[in-house]
Amino acid sequence: MSRPIVATINQQALRHNLTVVRQAAPASRVWSVVKANAYGHGIRRVWQNLAETDGFALLNMEEAILLREQGWKKPILLLEGFFHAEDLQLIDRYRLTTSVHSNWQIQALAQVQLSAPIDIYVKVNSGMNRLGFRPEQVNAAWQALRALPNVGEMTLMAHFADAENPQGIIEPMKRIELAAEGLNCPRSLSNSAATLWHPEAHFDWVRPGIVLYGASPSGNWQDIASTGLKPVMTLTSEIIGIQQLQAGDGVGYGYRYHASAAQRIGVVACGYADGYPRHAPTGTPVSVNGVMTRTVGAISMDMIMIDLEPCPQAGIGSKVELWGEQVKIDDVAKAAGTVGYELMCALAPRVPVEII
Ligand SMILES: *Cc1c(COP(=O)(O)O)cnc(C)c1O
Protein backbone atom coordinates (compact mmCIF):
# COMPACT_ATOMS: atom_id res chain seq x y z
CA MET A 1 0.00 0.00 0.00
CA SER A 2 1.21 3.47 -0.79
CA ARG A 3 1.52 6.24 1.74
CA PRO A 4 -1.91 7.80 2.33
CA ILE A 5 -1.04 11.35 1.28
CA VAL A 6 -2.74 12.62 -1.88
CA ALA A 7 -3.36 15.94 -3.61
CA THR A 8 -6.77 16.08 -5.23
CA ILE A 9 -7.37 18.44 -8.12
CA ASN A 10 -10.99 19.47 -8.56
CA GLN A 11 -11.55 20.09 -12.27
CA GLN A 12 -15.02 21.46 -11.69
CA ALA A 13 -13.61 24.13 -9.36
CA LEU A 14 -11.09 25.18 -11.99
CA ARG A 15 -13.79 25.59 -14.64
CA HIS A 16 -15.97 27.42 -12.16
CA ASN A 17 -13.18 29.82 -11.16
CA LEU A 18 -12.66 30.77 -14.80
CA THR A 19 -16.34 31.71 -15.01
CA VAL A 20 -15.91 33.84 -11.88
CA VAL A 21 -13.03 35.62 -13.62
CA ARG A 22 -15.17 36.17 -16.73
CA GLN A 23 -17.90 37.73 -14.60
CA ALA A 24 -15.38 39.96 -12.86
CA ALA A 25 -13.95 41.22 -16.17
CA PRO A 26 -16.78 40.73 -18.66
CA ALA A 27 -15.37 43.02 -21.35
CA SER A 28 -11.83 41.64 -21.33
CA ARG A 29 -10.21 38.62 -22.84
CA VAL A 30 -8.47 36.31 -20.39
CA TRP A 31 -4.93 35.03 -20.28
CA SER A 32 -5.12 32.15 -17.81
CA VAL A 33 -1.76 32.12 -16.07
CA VAL A 34 -0.41 28.57 -15.89
CA LYS A 35 3.25 29.30 -15.13
CA ALA A 36 5.12 27.15 -12.61
CA ASN A 37 3.36 24.02 -13.83
CA ALA A 38 -0.02 25.66 -13.33
CA TYR A 39 0.90 26.85 -9.85
CA GLY A 40 1.87 23.32 -8.89
CA HIS A 41 -1.38 21.75 -10.15
CA GLY A 42 0.23 20.19 -13.21
CA ILE A 43 -0.21 22.02 -16.52
CA ARG A 44 -0.71 18.76 -18.41
CA ARG A 45 -3.48 17.74 -16.02
CA VAL A 46 -5.37 21.00 -15.83
CA TRP A 47 -5.12 22.97 -19.06
CA GLN A 48 -8.16 21.35 -20.66
CA ASN A 49 -10.33 22.53 -17.78
CA LEU A 50 -9.33 26.06 -18.69
CA ALA A 51 -9.79 25.57 -22.42
CA GLU A 52 -12.56 28.18 -22.42
CA THR A 53 -9.86 30.77 -21.83
CA ASP A 54 -8.68 33.09 -24.62
CA GLY A 55 -5.01 32.31 -24.07
CA PHE A 56 -2.51 30.77 -21.71
CA ALA A 57 0.29 32.79 -20.12
CA LEU A 58 3.45 31.16 -18.80
CA LEU A 59 7.16 31.72 -19.00
CA ASN A 60 8.93 28.53 -19.74
CA MET A 61 9.41 27.34 -23.30
CA GLU A 62 8.94 23.66 -22.38
CA GLU A 63 5.50 24.41 -20.95
CA ALA A 64 4.56 26.43 -24.04
CA ILE A 65 5.63 23.60 -26.34
CA LEU A 66 3.76 21.09 -24.21
CA LEU A 67 0.54 23.06 -24.69
CA ARG A 68 1.06 23.20 -28.45
CA GLU A 69 1.82 19.50 -28.59
CA GLN A 70 -1.33 18.79 -26.59
CA GLY A 71 -3.31 20.60 -29.27
CA TRP A 72 -3.79 24.12 -27.89
CA LYS A 73 -4.18 26.37 -30.95
CA LYS A 74 -5.08 29.70 -29.37
CA PRO A 75 -2.56 32.26 -28.07
CA ILE A 76 0.26 31.56 -25.64
CA LEU A 77 2.03 34.46 -23.96
CA LEU A 78 5.58 34.27 -22.65
CA LEU A 79 5.36 36.55 -19.61
CA GLU A 80 9.11 37.03 -19.22
CA GLY A 81 9.77 37.21 -22.93
CA PHE A 82 12.68 35.37 -24.50
CA PHE A 83 15.85 34.75 -22.56
CA HIS A 84 18.23 34.37 -25.52
CA ALA A 85 18.02 35.49 -29.14
CA GLU A 86 17.94 31.82 -30.26
CA ASP A 87 14.60 31.38 -28.45
CA LEU A 88 13.00 33.39 -31.25
CA GLN A 89 13.24 30.34 -33.51
CA LEU A 90 10.97 28.38 -31.17
CA ILE A 91 8.69 31.37 -30.67
CA ASP A 92 8.32 31.50 -34.45
CA ARG A 93 7.87 27.77 -34.87
CA TYR A 94 5.26 27.42 -32.12
CA ARG A 95 3.61 30.77 -32.85
CA LEU A 96 4.00 32.22 -29.36
CA THR A 97 3.37 35.77 -28.22
CA THR A 98 6.32 37.18 -26.34
CA SER A 99 6.79 40.08 -24.02
CA VAL A 100 9.61 42.49 -24.86
CA HIS A 101 11.08 44.29 -21.89
CA SER A 102 14.67 45.20 -22.82
CA ASN A 103 16.53 46.88 -25.65
CA TRP A 104 18.61 43.82 -26.48
CA GLN A 105 15.36 42.04 -27.38
CA ILE A 106 14.53 44.76 -29.89
CA GLN A 107 17.93 44.20 -31.49
CA ALA A 108 17.33 40.47 -31.57
CA LEU A 109 13.94 40.96 -33.21
CA ALA A 110 15.53 43.26 -35.78
CA GLN A 111 18.16 40.70 -36.75
CA VAL A 112 16.31 37.39 -36.72
CA GLN A 113 14.77 35.66 -39.75
CA LEU A 114 11.21 34.54 -39.01
CA SER A 115 8.65 32.63 -41.07
CA ALA A 116 5.96 35.18 -40.16
CA PRO A 117 5.67 38.19 -37.86
CA ILE A 118 5.15 37.44 -34.17
CA ASP A 119 2.84 39.27 -31.78
CA ILE A 120 4.51 41.06 -28.92
CA TYR A 121 3.68 42.57 -25.54
CA VAL A 122 5.75 45.65 -24.79
CA LYS A 123 6.36 45.70 -21.07
CA VAL A 124 6.23 48.93 -19.08
CA ASN A 125 7.88 49.15 -15.70
CA SER A 126 4.93 50.43 -13.64
CA GLY A 127 7.19 51.27 -10.69
CA MET A 128 7.79 47.76 -9.44
CA ASN A 129 11.27 47.84 -10.99
CA ARG A 130 11.18 44.25 -12.04
CA LEU A 131 10.89 43.88 -15.83
CA GLY A 132 10.07 46.58 -18.36
CA PHE A 133 10.91 49.87 -20.01
CA ARG A 134 10.55 53.01 -17.96
CA PRO A 135 7.48 55.01 -19.03
CA GLU A 136 9.57 57.67 -20.76
CA GLN A 137 11.42 55.00 -22.77
CA VAL A 138 8.31 53.26 -24.02
CA ASN A 139 7.53 55.47 -26.98
CA ALA A 140 10.96 55.02 -28.53
CA ALA A 141 10.90 51.27 -27.92
CA TRP A 142 7.41 51.06 -29.36
CA GLN A 143 8.31 52.98 -32.53
CA ALA A 144 11.45 50.90 -33.03
CA LEU A 145 9.45 47.70 -32.69
CA ARG A 146 6.57 48.94 -34.87
CA ALA A 147 9.04 49.51 -37.68
CA LEU A 148 10.23 45.88 -37.67
CA PRO A 149 8.77 43.51 -40.27
CA ASN A 150 9.15 40.67 -37.74
CA VAL A 151 6.64 42.31 -35.39
CA GLY A 152 2.92 41.67 -35.75
CA GLU A 153 0.30 42.85 -33.26
CA MET A 154 1.55 44.97 -30.37
CA THR A 155 0.01 45.27 -26.91
CA LEU A 156 1.12 47.37 -23.97
CA MET A 157 1.70 45.27 -20.88
CA ALA A 158 2.40 46.14 -17.25
CA HIS A 159 2.24 44.40 -13.91
CA PHE A 160 1.19 45.72 -10.48
CA ALA A 161 3.25 45.38 -7.32
CA ASP A 162 0.43 46.09 -4.88
CA ALA A 163 -2.96 45.64 -6.54
CA GLU A 164 -4.44 44.00 -3.43
CA ASN A 165 -4.27 47.44 -1.82
CA PRO A 166 -7.24 49.73 -2.67
CA GLN A 167 -4.78 52.59 -3.37
CA GLY A 168 -2.18 50.27 -4.84
CA ILE A 169 -2.62 50.97 -8.55
CA ILE A 170 -3.01 54.75 -8.50
CA GLU A 171 0.68 55.58 -9.03
CA PRO A 172 1.34 52.64 -11.38
CA MET A 173 -1.64 53.67 -13.54
CA LYS A 174 -0.15 57.16 -13.88
CA ARG A 175 3.08 55.67 -15.15
CA ILE A 176 1.21 53.40 -17.53
CA GLU A 177 -0.81 56.36 -18.87
CA LEU A 178 2.41 58.24 -19.44
CA ALA A 179 3.86 55.28 -21.32
CA ALA A 180 0.70 54.84 -23.41
CA GLU A 181 0.43 58.47 -24.46
CA GLY A 182 -0.28 58.70 -28.17
CA LEU A 183 -0.03 54.95 -28.74
CA ASN A 184 -3.74 54.04 -28.94
CA CYS A 185 -2.90 50.39 -28.33
CA PRO A 186 -4.47 47.40 -26.61
CA ARG A 187 -3.40 46.88 -23.01
CA SER A 188 -2.95 44.01 -20.58
CA LEU A 189 -2.34 45.08 -16.99
CA SER A 190 -4.34 43.10 -14.47
CA ASN A 191 -3.22 40.18 -12.35
CA SER A 192 -5.78 38.42 -10.11
CA ALA A 193 -5.94 41.25 -7.57
CA ALA A 194 -6.60 43.90 -10.21
CA THR A 195 -9.04 41.59 -12.01
CA LEU A 196 -11.09 41.29 -8.82
CA TRP A 197 -10.68 44.72 -7.31
CA HIS A 198 -9.71 47.28 -9.97
CA PRO A 199 -12.08 47.22 -12.94
CA GLU A 200 -10.52 50.46 -14.18
CA ALA A 201 -7.40 48.42 -14.99
CA HIS A 202 -9.07 45.63 -16.95
CA PHE A 203 -8.65 46.92 -20.53
CA ASP A 204 -8.27 44.35 -23.31
CA TRP A 205 -6.72 41.31 -21.63
CA VAL A 206 -6.58 40.40 -17.93
CA ARG A 207 -3.98 37.96 -16.61
CA PRO A 208 -5.36 36.12 -13.58
CA GLY A 209 -3.35 33.35 -11.96
CA ILE A 210 -3.95 32.58 -8.29
CA VAL A 211 -7.73 33.11 -8.39
CA LEU A 212 -8.10 30.34 -10.97
CA TYR A 213 -6.73 27.98 -8.35
CA GLY A 214 -9.08 29.33 -5.69
CA ALA A 215 -6.75 31.20 -3.36
CA SER A 216 -6.60 34.87 -2.51
CA PRO A 217 -4.12 37.26 -4.14
CA SER A 218 -4.04 39.16 -0.84
CA GLY A 219 -3.24 36.09 1.22
CA ASN A 220 -6.50 36.55 3.15
CA TRP A 221 -9.19 34.03 2.38
CA GLN A 222 -11.86 36.44 3.69
CA ASP A 223 -11.05 38.82 0.85
CA ILE A 224 -12.33 36.33 -1.73
CA ALA A 225 -14.97 34.61 0.44
CA SER A 226 -17.84 36.39 -1.32
CA THR A 227 -16.58 35.80 -4.88
CA GLY A 228 -17.58 32.16 -5.06
CA LEU A 229 -14.03 31.09 -5.96
CA LYS A 230 -13.42 27.46 -5.01
CA PRO A 231 -10.17 25.84 -3.88
CA VAL A 232 -8.88 23.56 -6.64
CA MET A 233 -6.24 21.61 -4.72
CA THR A 234 -6.98 19.60 -1.59
CA LEU A 235 -4.09 17.98 0.23
CA THR A 236 -5.15 15.11 2.46
CA SER A 237 -3.51 12.32 4.38
CA GLU A 238 -4.23 10.06 7.33
CA ILE A 239 -3.32 9.60 10.95
CA ILE A 240 -0.72 6.85 11.13
CA GLY A 241 0.08 6.99 14.85
CA ILE A 242 -1.40 8.17 18.15
CA GLN A 243 0.40 9.34 21.30
CA GLN A 244 -1.15 9.92 24.70
CA LEU A 245 0.80 12.76 26.32
CA GLN A 246 1.15 13.57 30.00
CA ALA A 247 1.51 17.12 31.29
CA GLY A 248 5.03 18.34 30.47
CA ASP A 249 5.72 15.89 27.63
CA GLY A 250 7.54 17.34 24.63
CA VAL A 251 6.64 16.74 20.97
CA GLY A 252 8.83 16.40 17.90
CA TYR A 253 12.24 17.80 16.97
CA GLY A 254 13.54 20.30 19.47
CA TYR A 255 10.54 19.53 21.72
CA ARG A 256 9.05 22.72 20.34
CA TYR A 257 5.70 21.90 21.92
CA HIS A 258 4.99 20.74 25.46
CA ALA A 259 1.66 19.44 26.67
CA SER A 260 0.28 21.47 29.58
CA ALA A 261 -2.08 18.66 30.55
CA ALA A 262 -2.90 15.15 29.42
CA GLN A 263 -3.45 15.33 25.68
CA ARG A 264 -4.00 12.98 22.77
CA ILE A 265 -2.13 13.76 19.57
CA GLY A 266 -2.09 12.18 16.13
CA VAL A 267 0.80 11.67 13.76
CA VAL A 268 -0.03 12.54 10.14
CA ALA A 269 1.76 11.20 7.07
CA CYS A 270 2.71 14.57 5.59
CA GLY A 271 5.82 16.65 6.06
CA TYR A 272 7.95 19.30 4.48
CA ALA A 273 9.25 16.84 1.89
CA ASP A 274 5.66 16.78 0.60
CA GLY A 275 5.56 20.55 0.36
CA TYR A 276 3.99 21.30 3.72
CA PRO A 277 5.68 24.47 5.04
CA ARG A 278 8.38 23.62 7.57
CA HIS A 279 7.93 26.99 9.25
CA ALA A 280 4.30 26.32 10.17
CA PRO A 281 4.18 26.87 13.93
CA THR A 282 2.14 25.08 16.57
CA GLY A 283 -1.44 26.15 16.00
CA THR A 284 -1.48 25.96 12.20
CA PRO A 285 -4.99 24.88 11.19
CA VAL A 286 -5.71 21.34 10.00
CA SER A 287 -8.88 19.26 10.03
CA VAL A 288 -9.58 15.66 11.02
CA ASN A 289 -12.74 14.00 9.74
CA GLY A 290 -14.09 17.49 9.17
CA VAL A 291 -13.25 18.81 12.66
CA MET A 292 -10.88 21.76 12.83
CA THR A 293 -7.79 21.38 14.99
CA ARG A 294 -4.12 22.43 14.92
CA THR A 295 -0.59 21.25 14.49
CA VAL A 296 1.66 20.80 17.53
CA GLY A 297 5.45 20.97 17.46
CA ALA A 298 7.88 21.20 14.57
CA ILE A 299 7.02 19.95 11.08
CA SER A 300 9.22 16.95 10.24
CA MET A 301 10.30 15.87 6.78
CA ASP A 302 7.60 13.22 6.55
CA MET A 303 5.28 13.73 9.50
CA ILE A 304 3.22 16.31 11.36
CA MET A 305 1.76 15.98 14.83
CA ILE A 306 -1.71 17.33 15.51
CA ASP A 307 -3.86 17.97 18.54
CA LEU A 308 -6.70 15.44 18.81
CA GLU A 309 -8.42 16.99 21.84
CA PRO A 310 -11.17 18.59 19.66
CA CYS A 311 -11.78 15.26 17.91
CA PRO A 312 -11.83 12.39 20.41
CA GLN A 313 -13.27 9.98 17.82
CA ALA A 314 -10.22 10.32 15.60
CA GLY A 315 -7.82 7.40 15.44
CA ILE A 316 -5.46 5.56 13.15
CA GLY A 317 -6.66 5.96 9.57
CA SER A 318 -8.72 9.10 10.22
CA LYS A 319 -8.70 11.42 7.24
CA VAL A 320 -6.75 14.65 7.67
CA GLU A 321 -7.09 17.71 5.44
CA LEU A 322 -3.90 19.81 5.33
CA TRP A 323 -5.49 22.35 2.99
CA GLY A 324 -8.41 22.47 0.59
CA GLU A 325 -12.16 22.98 0.92
CA GLN A 326 -12.23 23.25 4.67
CA VAL A 327 -8.74 24.34 5.69
CA LYS A 328 -8.01 27.33 3.49
CA ILE A 329 -4.57 27.29 1.95
CA ASP A 330 -4.38 31.02 2.68
CA ASP A 331 -4.78 30.33 6.40
CA VAL A 332 -2.06 27.66 6.43
CA ALA A 333 0.22 29.95 4.43
CA LYS A 334 -0.41 32.89 6.72
CA ALA A 335 0.41 30.83 9.80
CA ALA A 336 3.68 29.82 8.16
CA GLY A 337 4.54 33.38 7.11
CA THR A 338 4.05 32.79 3.39
CA VAL A 339 1.34 32.92 0.72
CA GLY A 340 -0.88 30.32 -0.90
CA TYR A 341 1.10 30.75 -4.14
CA GLU A 342 4.22 29.31 -2.55
CA LEU A 343 2.46 26.34 -0.99
CA MET A 344 0.78 25.36 -4.25
CA CYS A 345 3.96 25.68 -6.26
CA ALA A 346 5.91 23.71 -3.67
CA LEU A 347 3.72 20.59 -3.80
CA ALA A 348 6.39 17.90 -4.00
CA PRO A 349 6.64 15.50 -6.92
CA ARG A 350 6.42 12.57 -4.50
CA VAL A 351 2.81 13.43 -3.64
CA PRO A 352 0.39 11.41 -5.81
CA VAL A 353 -2.20 13.55 -7.57
CA GLU A 354 -5.79 12.50 -8.17
CA ILE A 355 -8.11 14.28 -10.54
CA ILE A 356 -11.80 14.51 -9.70
C1 LIG B 1 2.27 35.60 -12.24
C2 LIG B 1 1.84 36.72 -13.08
C3 LIG B 1 0.48 37.02 -13.23
C4 LIG B 1 -0.60 36.34 -12.41
O1 LIG B 1 -0.50 36.79 -11.08
P1 LIG B 1 -1.59 36.36 -9.98
O2 LIG B 1 -1.29 37.20 -8.81
O3 LIG B 1 -1.36 34.91 -9.71
O4 LIG B 1 -2.91 36.59 -10.59
C5 LIG B 1 0.13 38.02 -14.12
N1 LIG B 1 1.07 38.68 -14.83
C6 LIG B 1 2.38 38.43 -14.70
C7 LIG B 1 3.37 39.20 -15.48
C8 LIG B 1 2.81 37.45 -13.82
O5 LIG B 1 4.12 37.19 -13.69
Side-chain angles (χ1 to χ4, degrees):
M1 274 299 282
S2 53
R3 209 163 152 252
I5 190 167
V6 59
T8 311
I9 306 291
N10 181 339
Q11 297 181 293
Q12 189 57 44
L14 208 48
R15 290 169 190 269
H16 169 80
N17 292 344
L18 179 58
T19 68
V20 172
V21 163
R22 291 259 187 226
Q23 285 158 10
S28 307
R29 281 184 280 174
V30 178
W31 289 113
S32 290
V33 180
V34 291
K35 63 190 179 188
N37 201 22
Y39 289 47
H41 293 66
I43 191 166
R44 190 187 288 274
R45 283 189 282 267
V46 304
W47 75 270
Q48 280 165 339
N49 299 293
L50 296 171
E52 293 294 307
T53 193
D54 300 296
F56 284 112
L58 40 67
L59 46 81
N60 159 316
M61 193 65 78
E62 289 73 18
E63 290 180 342
I65 293 172
L66 179 131
L67 284 179
R68 285 285 183 249
E69 288 179 343
Q70 298 253 314
W72 177 251
K73 300 257 183 332
K74 290 197 273 178
I76 297 177
L77 171 63
L78 296 173
L79 291 164
E80 290 184 4
F82 46 101
F83 302 100
H84 304 286
E86 306 88 86
D87 300 341
L88 285 167
Q89 302 302 337
L90 290 173
I91 288 173
D92 181 28
R93 174 154 156 217
Y94 290 99
R95 295 282 98 205
L96 309 178
T97 302
T98 179
S99 92
V100 174
H101 55 74
S102 296
N103 281 318
W104 74 265
Q105 294 174 319
I106 303 179
Q107 297 309 314
L109 276 163
Q111 286 159 11
V112 72
Q113 287 263 358
L114 300 179
S115 65
I118 53 175
D119 296 338
I120 63 167
Y121 269 47
V122 179
K123 180 105 187 237
V124 188
N125 173 1
S126 74
M128 185 176 190
N129 289 307
R130 210 170 60 174
L131 292 178
F133 298 99
R134 294 182 68 83
E136 62 276 14
Q137 301 169 328
V138 168
N139 203 281
W142 189 279
Q143 302 311 337
L145 286 158
R146 187 62 289 167
L148 299 179
N150 281 332
V151 171
E153 278 179 40
M154 291 174 63
T155 302
L156 195 74
M157 171 193 191
H159 192 52
F160 296 121
D162 194 24
E164 51 276 24
N165 180 335
Q167 314 299 320
I169 71 163
I170 295 173
E171 284 305 314
M173 285 295 274
K174 287 184 193 159
R175 297 199 182 90
I176 293 161
E177 288 306 333
L178 184 65
E181 224 168 66
L183 295 182
N184 188 27
C185 56
R187 302 187 202 187
S188 174
L189 313 179
S190 292
N191 56 6
S192 292
T195 301
L196 289 184
W197 299 316
H198 297 288
E200 71 277 23
H202 286 171
F203 290 95
D204 303 85
W205 285 82
V206 293
R207 301 189 311 270
I210 193 76
V211 288
L212 295 174
Y213 309 99
S216 175
S218 67
N220 293 312
W221 163 252
Q222 290 84 341
D223 293 342
I224 60 164
S226 65
T227 59
L229 290 165
K230 294 181 183 160
V232 172
M233 183 194 294
T234 300
L235 182 64
T236 57
S237 189
E238 289 177 8
I239 295 179
I240 60 168
I242 300 278
Q243 296 291 347
Q244 180 63 56
L245 307 182
Q246 310 292 313
D249 283 354
V251 173
Y253 287 118
Y255 308 114
R256 299 239 299 258
Y257 175 80
H258 285 89
S260 54
Q263 182 182 9
R264 210 165 145 262
I265 64 167
V267 182
V268 183
C270 173
Y272 62 78
D274 300 300
Y276 196 86
R278 199 185 70 87
H279 295 288
T282 289
T284 300
V286 52
S287 85
V288 181
N289 289 338
V291 180
M292 292 298 293
T293 181
R294 59 185 187 127
T295 64
V296 291
I299 308 305
S300 310
M301 184 184 285
D302 314 300
M303 284 174 274
I304 294 172
M305 277 69 93
I306 62 172
D307 183 8
L308 293 183
E309 290 300 306
C311 26
Q313 299 87 351
I316 303 279
S318 290
K319 192 169 167 188
V320 177
E321 182 180 299
L322 287 317
W323 62 66
E325 298 267 331
Q326 194 186 10
V327 181
K328 304 304 180 201
I329 197 168
D330 293 309
D331 293 336
V332 176
K334 200 194 289 185
T338 181
V339 286
Y341 297 79
E342 188 181 16
L343 299 191
M344 291 174 181
C345 294
L347 183 77
R350 83 174 188 183
V351 177
V353 177
E354 253 173 33
I355 309 288
I356 56 163

